[in-house]
Every structure is written in structure tokens, then in C-alpha cells.
Amino acid sequence: MLPSSDVRQFAFDVASNERVGDGIFRMVMHAPGLAPILSPGQFVNVAVPGDPSHITRIPLSFAGTDPKAQTIEIVYAVVGEGTARLSRMGEGDASTVLGPCGKGWRLDDVSGPALLVAGGVGAPPVLAAARGLLARGIPFDVVLGAQTAGKLWGVGLAKSLGAGRVVVTTDDGTAGIKGFTTVAVEQMQGERDYADVLTCGPQPMMAGVARLALADGSSCQVSMERMMTCGFGACNTCNVAMAAGGYKACCTDGPVFDAREVAW
């Protein structure tokens, strides 16, 4: 597959980069030209300086953009050497980023009310969807899950974006409901009819959310997580198995898919 003609390289510099949780950082990058053309649910592929032997970029979703200020808000977890270097980038540090990558949320297909469900660092693309629904006047509720309270991010943002309800779950019970996001989803389905469910997080979590959504008669979009090494469909490292057979590339056909398409 040839690279998408829409994906280009842009220069960026760091406006801010701060710790917002246990191993969780929030970076605002100033990326002229890129911020205005990103759609919720797409991603960017960041070149992190500091180690010339690290030739691959890091694919990262984003929580929002400010086209006027030309900035992109990225929230990420430090999970390896590359993201550790990213966390050490400071104001004014510069590099390059590829984008806009992938196909995002199909927000024009959402009639609402919608339920947005995020697990861990799946929160940024889900909250980017919330911004899009707010702009369209579509009501939504949000479920945010994390391993522990210290790794939870996005509650305040979800509320500020107009969520009707924001329900928190943690695996260890240190915040909100003790248990997985599916516990909260089942409870909320019993209290409100949702036309649409949008979810991002670990694959087992999304499989459970998708099963509940489809059983309840809701449409369900899932933002799949894969190691999208190149970001434009050339390296075949991010394949997603399809229910109808075969595979699709997460970085170009996704990362957002209809839950019914995926072979869970």
C-alpha cells in the first residue's frame, strides 16, 4: 500500500509538557499547518529526538486541537524508552511529526445520545470525540477507567465539554466504581437508551464494551490500538483481523472501525 497523499511531515515545537498522573504526561505541541486539518480520532506520528538509533516514530492520539493557536494536545503514558525521552522534552524543544494519520470517528453518523467509554490512555481520542459531539449539539455521557486513581486522566475535561454524566472506574477501587468499565456501561445502559457507543482502550475492554453495545442495539465505533510503526500503511505491523476474514491496516483503514467489522 502506498502512503496516503494526505500524510505529510510538519515541524513542531513544544509549548508545554507536564506530568498529569502516575507516568502520564500532557504535551501541547505547536504544529503550524497540522492542527487545523486533524479530525477527532486520527493520530500523529512523532519523531522524538535524543537517540539516533531509534529510527521509528511514536504514534500518538490527541485529545484536542486549537486551530487558531496551531496547537495539538497529546496525553500519553511513559511505557518505554521513546516515550521516556518524549517526557523529557521541554518548552521550545523541536522535532517533526507526520499527520494527519488514519481515519477518525464518524461523528456525522452519531445521532445520540452517545456513550463514550475510555480505558487508560484511550481517553484522549474519546475526549476528542466529545469535543466533536459538543460542536454538533449531540448529548453524551462518559465512562473513564484506569488501573488506579493515580493513572486517571480526563474527568475534569469531560465535565467541561458538557458530558451529562461522567462515571469513573478503577481496577483497585481507589476512585469511582471498583471494577472494569463494562460494569459502569451495563449500569448506564439500564438507565438510558444510547444510540451510539464510541470506545478506546485495551482490546479486551473494547471487546466487552462492543458486545454490550451491540446487544443493546447501539451502533459501536472502536478505536483500535496497534503499534503503527510507519503510520501510512507501508510496514504491515498494525494489522487488525476482520470478522469477514482477512486483515485491515490500523493506521490507514482505522484506527476507528465499526465494532461489527472486527474479529474479536
Side-chain angles (χ1 to χ4, degrees), residues 46-62:
V46 181
V48 183
D51 184 353
S53 69
H54 194 132
I55 61 173
T56 59
R57 294 171 179 262
I58 298 178
L60 295 169
S61 56
F62 59 93

Side-chain angles (χ1 to χ4, degrees), residues 15 28-32 34-36 38 64-73:
V28 177
M29 62 166 59
H30 178 237
L34 177 57
L38 284 171
T65 63
D66 185 333
K68 185 175 181 180
Q70 300 279 341
T71 57
I72 303 167
E73 177 185 5

Side-chain angles (χ1 to χ4, degrees), residues 209-260:
V209 171
R211 183 172 59 253
L212 291 172
L214 297 176
D216 201 45
S218 306
S219 71
C220 184
Q221 297 180 43
V222 296
S223 179
M224 302 299 290
E225 294 187 338
R226 292 289 190 275
M227 185 56 208
M228 296 178 284
T229 305
C230 71
F232 46 71
C235 68
N236 295 317
T237 62
C238 66
N239 291 334
V240 177
M242 294 287 103
Y247 297 86
K248 289 188 177 181
C250 193
C251 68
T252 52
D253 298 309
V256 175
F257 294 90
D258 186 312
R260 295 169 297 183

Side-chain angles (χ1 to χ4, degrees), residues 53-208:
S53 69
H54 194 132
I55 61 173
T56 59
R57 294 171 179 262
I58 298 178
L60 295 169
S61 56
F62 59 93
T65 63
D66 185 333
K68 185 175 181 180
Q70 300 279 341
T71 57
I72 303 167
E73 177 185 5
I74 294 172
V75 178
Y76 61 97
V78 175
V79 295
E81 183 268 340
T83 46
R85 280 188 286 111
L86 184 66
S87 73
R88 293 192 291 270
M89 292 185 73
E91 182 179 353
D93 288 344
S95 187
T96 62
V97 57
L98 296 181
C101 298
K103 295 178 180 177
W105 305 109
R106 296 182 295 277
L107 297 182
D108 288 341
D109 295 339
V110 176
S111 59
L115 180 59
L116 311 183
V117 187
V121 288
V126 165
L127 293 177
R131 294 180 192 271
L133 296 181
L134 173 65
R136 289 166 171 77
I138 296 173
F140 62 91
D141 296 328
V142 176
V143 177
L144 292 172
Q147 292 176 327
T148 184
K151 294 182 178 295
L152 186 66
W153 176 85
V155 175
L157 179 56
K159 291 178 179 177
S160 72
L161 292 173
R165 292 181 63 192
V166 179
V167 177
V168 168
T169 71
T170 50
D171 296 355
D172 63 0
T174 50
I177 298 170
K178 182 177 182 179
F180 300 140
T181 55
T182 47
V183 174
V185 170
E186 285 189 284
Q187 291 181 4
M188 296 173 77
Q189 284 178 324
E191 299 166 2
R192 189 175 191 182
D193 292 328
Y194 294 102
D196 310 273
V197 175
L198 285 67
T199 184
C200 183
Q203 182 157 322
M205 183 212 83
M206 287 195 292

Side-chain angles (χ1 to χ4, degrees), residues 3-24:
S4 167
S5 60
D6 294 332
V7 179
R8 291 177 285 144
Q9 179 174 287
F10 296 82
F12 79 88
D13 60 88
V14 176
S16 64
N17 193 17
E18 58 184 348
R19 181 180 177 275
V20 293
D22 294 344
I24 309 296

